Amino acid sequence: MKLIRYGQPGQERPGLVDDQGRLRDLSAHISDIAGDVLLPDTLARLRALDVASLPEVSGTPRIGPCVGQVGKIICVGLNFSDHAAESNMAVPQEPVLFLKPSSSIVGPNDDVEIPPGSEKTDWEVELGVVIGKTAKYIKKENALEHVAGYCVVNDVSERAYQLERGGQWDKGKGCDTFAPLGPWLVTRDEIADVQNLGMYLDVDGKRYQDGSTKTMIFDVAHLVWYISQFMSLQPGDVISTGTPPGVGFGQRPQIYLKAGQTMRLGIEGLGEQQQRTVEARA
């Protein structure tokens, strides 16, 4: 299933995208795509619905973040061997973890704000892993059973805040609008091989990132297992699994975002995002 949330910020309704690409309303069956709705039993119940009988949504409503009520976003740094090389950083022996606050989440096509005084706002297309069942001290061989599905994440980053302001990555990762999610939450059964998905990101029509999840250092199963050894994962939590090469930080000379630009990014089978950059507003 391709699950989706649509409507104005804070008023999103649950839906799904049918095989013809039409948006169908799920409000009669669930209140939101969040929390316990992501449990395996609930997803199985939604999968059994007669999709053709669901109300079709007219027009072109705003698409919201594909998951609601996200408790936390756990990000993995330097998880692509080719991105670690362009960053001139050593390949990590264990996953590098940091957090993005839920206040950074926006819809896949919402504006991305350039923070006041920022000169190094950067882009990162990433595979998002949405947790569907609580994971705490799990076994690696059972890790994927705890995954509800996958989505596109733009891990927007302010590199000066991240690397030059005291060494805490969270500062450069947590600004408002720095975590567009969606357009869809694609359930795990729809993706045949999550470790072989093409990924791309363009800025103003120029392709900067053109990679694949196959170059991830730590795969999805390893990450879910590993993170569960340090913190419990609850339904609706999102793991952002790292980015392939081609970020602005890795260009020579380095290139960073300015207001008035357009990012377009996507992952094979998971849909596409498009954001306009604007100056931050209070």
Side-chain angles (χ1 to χ4, degrees):
M1 291 182 295
K2 294 181 175 69
L3 300 174
I4 194 167
R5 300 170 72 246
Y6 66 96
Q8 293 306 304
Q11 302 175 38
E12 291 93 349
R13 296 165 65 91
L16 62 77
V17 177
D18 68 18
D19 291 341
Q20 288 73 46
R22 292 173 297 205
L23 177 56
R24 303 278 186 168
D25 182 58
L26 280 173
S27 298
H29 301 275
I30 55 175
S31 61
D32 199 357
I33 298 168
D36 288 350
V37 168
L38 300 170
L39 291 168
D41 288 350
T42 309
L43 292 180
R45 178 168 60 83
L46 294 178
R47 200 173 289 115
L49 293 173
D50 177 11
V51 174
S53 70
L54 297 173
E56 187 173 347
V57 178
S58 60
T60 54
R62 168 189 173 267
I63 303 303
C66 61
V67 189
Q69 304 171 40
V70 176
K72 54 186 176 290
I73 307 174
I74 309 97
C75 300
V76 186
L78 301 173
N79 193 36
F80 282 65
S81 55
D82 33 14
H83 173 55
E86 76 167 349
S87 301
N88 197 29
M89 296 182 181
V91 172
Q93 298 303 303
E94 295 189 33
V96 175
L97 304 181
F98 59 92
L99 298 175
K100 288 175 89 86
S102 58
S103 55
S104 66
I105 295 172
V106 289
N109 304 317
D110 290 345
D111 291 345
V112 165
E113 297 181 355
I114 307 296
S118 165
E119 296 182 353
K120 296 184 179 181
T121 297
D122 204 349
W123 57 82
E124 293 190 9
V125 59
E126 304 204 1
L127 170 72
V129 177
V130 180
I131 299 300
K133 185 172 68 171
T134 297
K136 181 177 180 180
Y137 306 130
I138 63 172
K139 296 180 179 179
K140 189 182 299 186
E141 57 267 28
N142 300 329
L144 293 182
E145 296 174 8
H146 297 264
V147 174
Y150 306 102
C151 67
V152 181
V153 180
N154 190 353
D155 176 22
V156 185
S157 309
E158 212 298 345
R159 301 301 186 188
Y161 298 179
Q162 176 188 355
L163 302 171
E164 302 168 23
R165 299 287 297 273
Q168 295 181 14
W169 283 24
D170 296 34
K171 294 179 194 173
K173 298 286 190 170
C175 300
D176 289 359
T177 77
F178 270 25
L181 301 182
W184 314 316
L185 190 171
V186 180
T187 52
R188 182 164 52 94
D189 58 296
E190 296 273 326
I191 303 300
D193 183 1
V194 73
Q195 300 304 151
N196 189 25
L197 301 178
M199 314 169 69
Y200 64 89
L201 185 145
D202 302 343
V203 179
D204 291 340
K206 177 178 172 59
R207 178 69 42 99
Y208 282 97
Q209 291 190 273
D210 188 4
S212 171
T213 57
K214 66 185 177 184
T215 67
M216 287 171 62
I217 298 166
F218 304 104
D219 65 18
V220 170
H222 185 97
L223 292 174
V224 175
W225 162 77
Y226 182 87
I227 294 169
S228 81
Q229 309 307 304
F230 298 93
M231 65 190 82
S232 62
L233 296 166
Q234 283 89 34
D237 285 349
V238 178
I239 302 172
S240 197
T241 59
T243 197
V247 299
F249 178 75
Q251 305 299 310
R252 297 295 179 266
Q254 294 175 346
I255 300 172
Y256 294 109
L257 294 165
K258 298 178 176 61
Q261 295 187 288
T262 299
M263 291 180 282
R264 185 176 66 90
L265 59 147
I267 298 178
E268 183 180 354
L270 302 182
E272 183 174 273
Q273 303 183 353
Q274 182 167 297
Q275 297 107 26
R276 182 174 60 108
T277 56
V278 299
E279 296 289 351
R281 49 190 180 271

